[in-house]
Amino acid sequence: MKITRLLPKFLAKEYQNYSLNRLEAQLEYHAGMARVCEEMIRDARKELDWLERSP
């Protein structure tokens, strides 16, 4: 059972709002981490290409 069903309506709304904000912050953080990883992959591929072309 969801905790919001046990709480009074006012507290349920506050909790739901807090939970939603926390989830949005986590999504933003993980999206940023994914962008960093993608950039690191691109850099590593460029480096590997350069190393393979160099004598």
Side-chain angles (χ1 to χ4, degrees):
M1 176 174 261
K2 292 186 174 191
I3 191 168
T4 54
R5 300 209 188 266
L6 300 174
L7 296 172
K9 193 168 189 170
F10 170 76
L11 290 176
K13 286 180 183 179
E14 289 295 317
Y15 177 80
Q16 194 66 23
N17 190 38
Y18 166 77
S19 180
L20 180 59
N21 288 337
R22 193 181 72 222
L23 287 171
E24 288 172 340
Q26 286 179 343
L27 177 61
E28 187 177 326
Y29 170 78
H30 288 291
M33 292 297 291
R35 281 191 297 273
V36 168
C37 288
E38 289 168 349
E39 184 178 330
M40 291 171 64
I41 289 170
R42 279 192 302 271
D43 291 345
R45 284 190 176 134
K46 285 180 188 177
E47 181 84 14
L48 183 59
D49 288 343
W50 180 79
L51 289 170
E52 287 176 344
R53 282 186 272 130
S54 298

